[in-house]
């Protein structure tokens, strides 16, 4: 029985190490992503990482990168568009998370973060990941909301 426990512990350790390695590969890829390096990095991502298993990590990392540097959100949207063409559940997940992020930042009146999410969603619309009705709903929310001095 000790042998099976040791084998199970070793298997768990190996799975955890694999998870961490693939998570680092995703973060590294997203950090190195720009318009010139997008093609080789996407190919590397598909080869190195199990994107079905780590789709949540990919979405979280991409959304965080798009919010922290909105000027590169077009590149992040292109990455998600390519991944979405192969794995549509990734596109659905990132859109759901982006909507929740927009709601959270809008309710807290965090203008810069709300704007960054809107820009990212607009680029996702341009890449045909998001439907136009979502963009229209956000626009109507922004136009119908209470105006403030800085809005």
């Amino acid at each position: 029985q000790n042998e099976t426990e040791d084998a199970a512990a070793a298997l768990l350790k190996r799975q955890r190490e694999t998870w961490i390695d693939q998570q680092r590969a995703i973060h590294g890829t997203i950090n190195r992503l720009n318009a010139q390096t997008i093609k080789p990095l996407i190919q590397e991502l598909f080869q190195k990482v199990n994107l079905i298993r780590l789709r949540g990590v990919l979405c979280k990392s991409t959304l965080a990168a798009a919010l922290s540097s909105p000027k590169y959100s077009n590149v992040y949207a292109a990455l998600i568009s390519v991944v979405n063409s192969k794995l549509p559940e990734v596109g659905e997940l990132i859109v759901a998370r982006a909507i929740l992020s927009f709601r959270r930042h809008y309710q807290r009146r965090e203008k810069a973060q709300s704007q960054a999410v809107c820009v990212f969603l607009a680029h996702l619309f341009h890449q045909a990941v998001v439907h136009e009705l979502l963009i229209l709903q956000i626009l109507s929310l922004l136009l119908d909301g209470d105006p403030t001095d800085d809005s």
Side-chain angles (χ1 to χ4, degrees), residues 92-108:
E92 292 174 18
L93 182 61
I94 199 157
V95 168
R97 288 187 181 188
I99 292 168
L100 291 174
S101 177
F102 173 75
R103 281 184 187 167
R104 182 174 54 250
H105 294 304
Y106 183 77
Q107 288 172 351
R108 292 180 185 167

Side-chain angles (χ1 to χ4, degrees), residues 7-57:
L11 182 63
L12 277 175
K13 183 179 177 184
R14 192 170 140 256
Q15 284 180 349
R16 187 172 295 121
E17 289 171 356
T18 303
W19 177 273
I20 291 170
D21 289 344
Q22 290 185 354
Q23 193 174 18
R24 284 186 187 139
I26 288 173
H27 291 308
T29 300
I30 289 177
N31 287 337
R32 293 186 321 235
L33 201 63
N34 61 41
Q36 287 75 35
T37 61
I38 190 166
K39 187 176 179 181
L41 287 179
I42 288 175
Q43 291 171 345
E44 177 184 319
L45 194 64
F46 275 111
Q47 290 171 355
K48 283 187 175 180
V49 179
N50 181 355
L51 290 175
I52 295 171
R53 184 173 172 215
L54 288 155
R55 63 185 178 268
V57 174

